[in-house]
Amino acid sequence: MHRTVKSFLQTLKFGVGCCRYYFNHNYHLVLALCSQIKPQEFQFTKCLGNSWNNTDSPGHIVPRRFFSCKDLLKSEQENWKVTSARYIDTAERIKKKLEVMYNKYTFSMSSPVIRFGDCVYFEENGCIFRSKADSDEGSVEVLLSTEDVGFHDAIIQRIRISPDQRYMATSIKSSNSEESRCIVTKFEKLPVVEHIIPNVFSFEWATNDVLFYTSQKNLVCHKVLLATFANRKHAELVYAEQDPRFFVDIYCTKDRRFLTINSNSKTSSEVWLVDCSNPFNSPILVQRRTNGVIYHVEHRNDELYILTTYGEPAEYKLMKTPVGSYGMENWQLVYTLKEKTKLIDLEMFRDHCVMFLKHYGHLYLNVISLVSHSVQSIKLPAWACAFESEPHPEYNASTCYFQLTSPIQPPKRFAYTLVENHLVEQEAPITINCHTLRLEAKSKDEILVPITVFYNTNSKELHRKPLLVHVYGAYGIDLNMSFKAEKLMLIEDGWILAYCHVRGGGELGLSWHKDGCMHNKLKGLHDLKACIMLLHELGFSQPKYTALTGSSAGGVLAGALCNADPDLIRAVVLQAPFLDVLNTMLDTDLPLTIEEQEEWGNPLADEKYMEYIKSYCPYHNIKPQAYPSILITAYENDQRIPLIGLLRYVHKLRKAERDHARSMNKKGNLIPNIILNVQAGGSHCAPLWEDSLNEGNLFQIQHFDERG
């Protein structure tokens, strides 16, 4: 019902930075990272490939005459079929174990109950339900079933209820596409589907029967329209963005006074206000876009509260200005985040503003009184690595609810009472035999890079245990530190998990991202190398037991490390990875290339960026040498990562490996396995849990098995 500032921050990355967006669910990775080895034995070296003279090995080089997308795809699918057949029994065993763990720890992870007036709304199994807030479970009403309206296996993304609760707008999408539909349901004696709007990204009710929405085309949103559903049904264009670098989103202020049209690039913003009491009036500009200034607007008591990067230091600040005095020359400072702090979310209440913050890996609440401007800072439990705020449509609510989680700890609910200044732990965390350690690695330029490490407290001889290193480092997005059942299973099986918070990500605030993008991208690679070397120096595993995993844009740093320092790792698992940066940024016909120039640079306009991208691009730096074994999962319907680029990458990498083996001229040289698993259908978004269990990821980390 309510879209928080977290959604605004994520939207900045979706439109311009989400071309290689980090996945929310990587369940299938466990199928690529668990082995047949006994718990005490981790014999990577026995199986990291077949001797190069075995021409029938999976992942053999395709003759040049097959070098077309269609034939390369067919060849890879045949390779995968042969490879995965060898691990069916092992995969089934792991699948059963993972299902048990998933059911055990995620059974209580239901969708949040959303209060709206005297009703509560909730979603379960593709249906939306409503009940009276204080009634028993027997009076639950089914409002919408995605299957009943013809959308099987659809994912419900967002729900918005009209102020008088006569209409409900719901966006749904399939797991095979990023295109969403908005279903408008009218509540009469029985709920009736009034209208279905295709290709919608965001939407909000301005009044009881006026819905504003953004139209999405080729992964970008440039238009805002309104639709009416009462006496006179019609739709009209409200706003059209002309700059292709910008992405348009809609938000409704917490008190429902204004609807905001937000046009954001990676480096600047422009917000237009729609008065909800007069939705047909022309929108009013708050502040014209200014390079380097990003801002988001809330409202309280005839004042705009503005979350912005305006002024020094170049981190987020909370400012305010009276309604009508919109220009930033009128903005007054309320609160500034301290250095190296990541703003994760912000919730506005009648008299309080709650900021959800991360500072060097630790989570905090900062509660700002909007009356006295005093600030209460609450440090949250040390085990917590991520949190999710719950929807709060009630502007006058006196309690802020949220959930804390970590990769190995299921979400647990907390409540913070605003007046009493009291934090209540509503659910105790589960007891896990796992130790959490926060380290810092010194990078090439002496900058300290945070690392979060998890390992089983019962593990002995950690230098002999397998290590799974996680990396992302792009778009100012944090590594995903929310709960995953497969991560807990790995811990129980003796694995060490390490999360490297390298530059380019957002873990230490806006400056951390700026210091790892554009002409600073190589700093993220240096950070990753320093993190892995420190882990090994401290006795956390060793190169021959180390695997690296990255998704989407995380593939850039993972692939670059394979080229620059392949001896640091033994295996790599990549999901829909971005591996051909240069060719992608040279192709402006791709849907998001222009928006992404503010992340990677524009090689078409600047020869310096051409050479700089070429210096680290994973595809362009493949060379004859010993590589780790690599599993890549790709999706046929992925609009963000062109499949042809991954096919060419795999083909070129295999050739380089074989050239290296021949140059060594030693009979029986091991050739690492390079496996590409192309999933039929699918999209760049996260797969469903059930689908991920049944995906063809039976690879079982060939390089971990016991074949000679």
Side-chain angles (χ1 to χ4, degrees):
M1 271 26 128
H2 167 59
R3 176 181 173 270
T4 65
V5 171
K6 182 174 183 179
S7 301
F8 155 72
L9 299 173
Q10 290 174 339
T11 299
L12 288 176
K13 293 151 186 135
F14 184 93
V16 238
C18 186
C19 180
R20 334 293 167 202
Y21 195 82
Y22 191 80
F23 283 75
N24 291 327
H25 302 283
N26 290 326
Y27 299 114
H28 78 289
L29 287 181
V30 71
L31 300 180
L33 288 172
C34 292
S35 70
Q36 303 179 52
I37 331 172
K38 298 174 182 177
Q40 290 75 25
E41 301 175 7
F42 303 99
Q43 303 177 28
F44 287 29
T45 56
K46 289 186 178 181
C47 57
L48 287 178
N50 303 311
S51 62
W52 73 271
N53 54 6
N54 181 359
T55 58
D56 294 328
S57 64
H60 62 276
I61 292 293
V62 181
R64 186 170 296 275
R65 68 177 184 274
F66 291 123
F67 203 81
S68 69
C69 184
K70 182 177 180 180
D71 291 324
L72 275 176
L73 175 58
K74 182 178 179 181
S75 177
E76 293 301 335
Q77 290 171 333
E78 291 173 353
N79 285 335
W80 175 252
K81 190 174 181 180
V82 172
T83 301
S84 60
R86 302 180 180 183
Y87 301 95
I88 290 177
D89 291 341
T90 304
E92 190 62 31
R93 185 172 69 249
I94 293 175
K95 175 183 174 180
K96 290 179 180 179
K97 183 176 181 180
L98 191 53
E99 282 178 328
V100 170
M101 182 163 287
Y102 180 84
N103 291 332
K104 178 179 179 181
Y105 292 115
T106 62
F107 181 78
S108 60
M109 293 168 57
S110 57
S111 300
V113 173
I114 303 169
R115 289 181 175 268
F116 197 96
D118 61 349
C119 294
V120 294
Y121 297 79
F122 59 97
E123 181 268 331
E124 188 174 316
N125 298 325
C127 296
I128 299 175
F129 301 89
R130 177 175 65 179
S131 67
K132 293 294 183 180
D134 299 322
S135 66
D136 56 33
E137 295 183 0
S139 58
V140 175
E141 179 185 8
V142 180
L143 302 179
L144 178 69
S145 167
T146 56
E147 289 200 1
D148 288 348
V149 293
F151 298 104
H152 302 281
D153 300 321
I155 303 166
I156 294 176
Q157 293 185 299
R158 158 185 314 209
I159 304 170
R160 295 293 184 268
I161 307 297
S162 65
D164 62 359
Q165 299 191 65
R166 290 184 61 216
Y167 290 94
M168 176 178 71
T170 308
S171 61
I172 64 170
K173 65 177 290 295
S174 75
S175 59
N176 291 328
S177 172
E178 294 193 47
E179 295 180 353
S180 298
R181 296 175 175 87
C182 178
I183 302 176
V184 178
T185 306
K186 185 176 182 180
F187 301 147
E188 298 180 312
K189 291 184 178 180
L190 292 175
V192 176
V193 173
E194 186 95 346
H195 193 55
I196 298 178
I197 310 172
N199 302 321
V200 172
F201 178 73
S202 61
F203 49 90
E204 296 285 354
W205 292 100
T207 65
N208 293 333
D209 67 335
V210 178
L211 181 75
F212 281 68
Y213 63 94
T214 57
S215 175
Q216 184 174 9
K217 183 179 180 180
N218 292 330
L219 304 179
V220 296
C221 290
H222 287 155
K223 294 182 179 180
V224 177
L225 299 96
L226 69 79
T228 60
F229 296 96
N231 298 326
R232 186 170 61 92
K233 295 181 174 63
H234 84 289
E236 64 182 63
L237 180 67
V238 176
Y239 176 87
E241 175 59 59
Q242 302 301 320
D243 192 328
R245 297 173 303 157
F246 283 73
F247 187 95
V248 181
D249 182 48
I250 295 175
Y251 169 70
C252 190
T253 59
K254 189 70 171 290
D255 61 0
R256 303 197 63 85
R257 168 71 186 279
F258 292 108
L259 186 148
T260 65
I261 298 173
N262 312 290
S263 189
N264 302 300
S265 79
K266 200 62 176 161
T267 58
S268 61
S269 299
E270 189 170 275
V271 177
W272 296 77
L273 297 180
V274 174
D275 188 338
C276 289
S277 62
N278 295 286
F280 296 100
N281 290 354
S282 298
I284 299 172
L285 177 64
V286 175
Q287 168 61 47
R288 192 168 302 281
R289 62 193 65 174
T290 302
N291 190 41
V293 177
I294 295 172
Y295 70 101
H296 168 77
V297 173
E298 259 292 355
H299 176 265
R300 170 187 176 269
N301 290 355
D302 287 328
E303 289 184 313
L304 298 185
Y305 280 80
I306 303 166
L307 182 68
T308 180
T309 60
Y310 172 59
E312 295 295 333
E315 296 289 347
Y316 279 113
K317 309 162 195 68
L318 185 65
M319 307 183 84
K320 69 176 183 177
T321 189
V323 170
S325 300
Y326 296 125
M328 60 186 179
E329 67 275 6
N330 301 304
W331 297 358
Q332 304 167 29
L333 182 65
V334 176
Y335 181 77
T336 301
L337 296 185
K338 63 181 179 181
E339 189 180 6
K340 303 298 183 184
T341 299
K342 170 64 179 281
L343 173 66
I344 298 175
D345 200 358
L346 179 148
E347 282 283 3
M348 288 289 292
F349 296 88
R350 183 185 59 193
D351 294 325
H352 296 84
C353 171
V354 179
M355 289 186 170
F356 297 77
L357 306 173
K358 180 188 292 184
H359 185 66
Y360 282 98
H362 294 281
L363 302 184
Y364 296 82
L365 291 183
N366 274 11
V367 183
I368 304 170
S369 169
L370 301 179
V371 178
S372 66
H373 288 181
S374 62
V375 180
Q376 295 283 347
S377 185
I378 300 96
K379 187 174 182 179
L380 299 173
W383 60 263
C385 297
F387 53 149
E388 290 285 340
S389 60
E390 296 186 0
H392 300 293
E394 295 296 333
Y395 179 60
N396 295 318
S398 60
T399 303
C400 177
Y401 296 95
F402 58 93
Q403 294 181 333
L404 296 180
T405 184
S406 85
I408 59 167
Q409 184 71 244
K412 298 301 172 186
R413 198 166 188 249
F414 286 72
Y416 177 78
T417 55
L418 299 170
V419 178
E420 292 83 0
N421 184 30
H422 185 54
L423 182 67
V424 179
E425 183 178 24
Q426 297 192 320
E427 298 174 290
I430 64 173
T431 302
I432 302 173
N433 292 324
C434 181
H435 187 63
T436 302
L437 183 65
R438 291 180 171 90
L439 305 171
E440 291 181 323
K442 186 177 291 187
S443 194
K444 184 178 181 179
D445 58 0
E446 305 292 311
I447 294 295
L448 297 178
V449 182
I451 314 171
T452 307
V453 182
F454 303 90
Y455 63 92
N456 196 311
T457 53
N458 297 324
S459 291
K460 308 297 182 184
E461 297 184 312
L462 291 175
H463 68 286
R464 296 178 59 83
K465 299 298 183 184
L467 166 66
L468 177 59
V469 177
H470 302 72
V471 69
Y472 188 68
Y475 306 119
I477 298 174
D478 297 5
L479 268 172
N480 190 343
M481 301 283 286
S482 57
F483 176 69
K484 302 288 184 299
E486 72 271 23
K487 305 298 184 184
L488 181 55
M489 190 178 83
L490 290 175
I491 289 293
E492 292 184 354
D493 286 347
W495 283 72
I496 304 165
L497 306 180
Y499 291 77
C500 302
H501 308 292
V502 303
R503 281 173 285 185
E507 285 87 346
L508 296 184
L510 296 176
S511 61
W512 197 246
H513 168 232
K514 186 176 180 180
D515 210 22
C517 69
M518 302 285 282
H519 60 278
N520 293 319
K521 185 57 69 174
L522 277 170
K523 291 182 180 179
L525 177 60
H526 299 153
D527 293 352
L528 177 59
K529 178 180 178 180
C531 290
I532 295 175
M533 291 181 66
L534 177 66
L535 290 166
H536 291 159
E537 290 170 7
L538 295 178
F540 292 104
S541 194
Q542 49 190 295
K544 64 181 179 179
Y545 302 145
T546 298
L548 175 64
T549 182
S551 299
S552 201
V556 174
L557 296 184
L561 186 76
C562 289
N563 290 328
D565 295 281
D567 293 339
L568 285 178
I569 50 180
R570 199 68 170 187
V572 181
V573 178
L574 301 174
Q575 185 179 4
F578 188 26
L579 296 169
D580 191 354
V581 185
L582 185 57
N583 284 331
T584 299
M585 297 310 298
L586 288 172
D587 187 354
T588 56
D589 289 333
L590 294 174
L592 297 177
T593 293
I594 294 177
E595 294 98 304
E596 300 234 332
Q597 290 170 354
E598 293 178 313
E599 177 71 23
W600 309 97
N602 184 359
L604 290 169
D606 192 332
E607 184 67 25
K608 291 182 180 178
Y609 277 117
M610 174 81 75
E611 295 303 316
Y612 188 72
I613 294 174
K614 192 182 295 183
S615 72
Y616 67 80
C617 176
Y619 177 79
H620 284 84
N621 288 279
I622 293 173
K623 55 193 172 187
Q625 64 176 0
Y627 277 89
S629 289
I630 301 176
L631 166 66
I632 298 174
T633 301
Y635 303 92
E636 277 192 284
N637 291 345
D638 193 337
Q639 295 176 270
R640 300 175 184 269
I641 305 293
L643 182 58
I644 185 61
L646 295 179
L647 292 168
R648 288 172 176 165
Y649 174 85
V650 167
H651 182 83
K652 185 176 180 180
L653 188 60
R654 291 200 189 116
K655 184 179 185 302
E657 287 181 335
R658 291 191 179 272
D659 288 348
H660 170 71
R662 292 190 179 96
S663 69
M664 298 298 291
N665 198 27
K666 293 182 180 178
K667 186 177 181 180
N669 272 347
L670 292 179
I671 297 293
N673 288 308
I674 307 299
I675 303 297
L676 176 61
N677 172 20
V678 181
Q679 294 288 302
S683 70
H684 198 72
C685 297
L688 294 172
W689 160 249
E690 292 81 1
D691 291 341
S692 63
L693 279 176
N694 293 305
E695 281 179 341
N697 297 303
L698 311 180
F699 182 61
Q700 302 309 323
I701 217 69
Q702 281 177 241
H703 34 275
F704 287 16
D705 70 18
E706 299 185 67
R707 290 183 298 108

